[in-house]
Amino acid sequence: MSLRIVVTVKYVPDATGDRHFADDLTVDRDDVDGLLSELDEYAVEQALQIADNADDAEVTVLTVGPEDAKDALRKALSMGADRAIHVEDDDLHGTDAIGTSLVLAKAVEKAGFDLVISGMASTDGTMGVVPALVAERLGVPQVTLLSEVSVEDGTVKGRRDGDAASEQLEAALPAVVSVTDQSGEARYPSFKGIMAAKKKPVQSWDLSDLDLDAGEVGLAGAWTAVDSAAQRPARTAGTIVKDEGEGGKQLAEYLASQKFI
């Protein structure tokens, strides 16, 4: 029986662009270029490695987002994923992590899965809670923040590295895992992979396909909200310490005044 791997990925604003909030205090995604979240590339890579070592496996990439989010799916398909699912609906605008986990869980169930792999966090929200929320909604074990992951005999195994120690973890499939940026460098799409991606299937679902009501997602259904936002203050000129014999002392005093030492 084929091992069904679903990788959840996110289309995020380019961190090098001029990011800001829209009038409704959601992230303005129209005025900045987007791309596949770098941390999700590691999840795609681990899924592909697991599939390469399996007798029979299929890798599906899943995203929730606007029309442009298809670009994230195309990147993952060009890396080697087999098919993609795009959940798009105007009522999803403003959905928070709780709502996103609901949509993802419904989509994962509809797609069918043995293993769900996510990045450790998105590079825009950086909350890192969605994998655990998805696992809870699916009612399956979660093994998160892995720097090494493998699947063998119906069990997913991995290593989680902490500041002082490493843990060896495992869970019976079906399960949800998340991987860190230490799990292995993500492959770069080849020209052949880019061309092949154009022929791979991309399904499009909306809320009705997932039996979800608009009131459960979007700004109306969000459990969290941004109350206010302000532009970050412009950077000021740094403090220059001239060394005329007392430079080291002045530097130490400045660092102490800023509570750096």
Side-chain angles (χ1 to χ4, degrees), residues 35-148:
L35 41 74
L36 170 62
S37 177
E38 180 183 355
L39 293 174
D40 289 340
E41 291 187 20
Y42 295 98
V44 176
E45 176 62 32
Q46 292 307 306
L48 295 175
Q49 289 191 25
I50 291 171
D52 288 342
N53 292 321
D55 293 333
D56 185 15
E58 181 182 59
V59 176
T60 301
V61 285
L62 164 65
T63 196
V64 177
E67 173 67 22
D68 289 345
K70 282 189 171 70
D71 290 345
L73 296 177
R74 293 190 187 99
K75 173 70 177 291
L77 290 173
S78 66
M79 291 173 66
D82 299 299
R83 67 187 185 106
I85 298 171
H86 181 203
V87 181
E88 179 188 9
D89 198 299
D90 290 342
D91 289 322
L92 286 168
H93 174 71
T95 302
D96 63 358
I98 301 291
T100 298
S101 71
L102 174 61
V103 177
L104 287 173
K106 288 286 189 179
V108 167
E109 286 182 322
K110 183 177 176 68
F113 75 104
D114 298 299
L115 178 65
V116 178
I117 304 180
S118 302
M120 61 188 291
S122 63
T123 54
D124 55 351
T126 64
M127 294 182 69
V129 299
V130 169
L133 293 172
V134 170
E136 177 67 19
R137 291 189 183 279
L138 293 174
V140 300
Q142 56 171 298
V143 187
T144 56
L145 301 176
L146 300 180
S147 55
E148 183 180 274

Side-chain angles (χ1 to χ4, degrees), residues 12-254:
V12 299
D14 189 340
T16 63
D18 183 17
R19 298 175 295 173
H20 55 275
F21 287 101
D23 293 338
D24 61 0
L25 295 180
T26 61
V27 177
D28 189 338
R29 300 178 184 274
D30 294 330
D31 291 341
V32 63
D33 292 335
L35 41 74
L36 170 62
S37 177
E38 180 183 355
L39 293 174
D40 289 340
E41 291 187 20
Y42 295 98
V44 176
E45 176 62 32
Q46 292 307 306
L48 295 175
Q49 289 191 25
I50 291 171
D52 288 342
N53 292 321
D55 293 333
D56 185 15
E58 181 182 59
V59 176
T60 301
V61 285
L62 164 65
T63 196
V64 177
E67 173 67 22
D68 289 345
K70 282 189 171 70
D71 290 345
L73 296 177
R74 293 190 187 99
K75 173 70 177 291
L77 290 173
S78 66
M79 291 173 66
D82 299 299
R83 67 187 185 106
I85 298 171
H86 181 203
V87 181
E88 179 188 9
D89 198 299
D90 290 342
D91 289 322
L92 286 168
H93 174 71
T95 302
D96 63 358
I98 301 291
T100 298
S101 71
L102 174 61
V103 177
L104 287 173
K106 288 286 189 179
V108 167
E109 286 182 322
K110 183 177 176 68
F113 75 104
D114 298 299
L115 178 65
V116 178
I117 304 180
S118 302
M120 61 188 291
S122 63
T123 54
D124 55 351
T126 64
M127 294 182 69
V129 299
V130 169
L133 293 172
V134 170
E136 177 67 19
R137 291 189 183 279
L138 293 174
V140 300
Q142 56 171 298
V143 187
T144 56
L145 301 176
L146 300 180
S147 55
E148 183 180 274
V149 60
S150 62
V151 173
E152 184 178 352
D153 298 329
T155 300
V156 58
K157 302 179 180 180
R159 188 185 77 243
R160 178 190 294 154
D161 296 324
D163 292 336
S166 295
E167 302 172 280
Q168 294 292 334
L169 306 170
E170 64 178 56
L173 299 180
V176 173
V177 305
S178 68
V179 298
T180 72
D181 54 357
Q182 302 301 309
S183 57
E185 194 70 25
R187 67 192 67 184
Y188 191 81
S190 64
F191 177 76
K192 181 180 179 180
I194 293 172
M195 298 304 295
K198 296 180 179 180
K199 299 180 180 179
K200 294 179 179 179
V202 179
Q203 291 180 278
S204 294
W205 294 342
D206 58 18
L207 291 178
S208 64
D209 292 315
L210 302 178
D211 296 323
L212 288 173
D213 185 84
E216 298 177 87
V217 297
L219 285 174
W223 289 46
T224 59
V226 177
D227 290 330
S228 63
Q231 191 74 17
R232 177 185 295 174
R235 296 184 64 178
T236 58
T239 300
I240 298 176
V241 176
K242 294 183 178 180
D243 188 4
E244 297 177 350
E246 296 289 328
K249 181 180 179 181
Q250 292 179 54
L251 179 59
E253 290 174 348
Y254 174 77

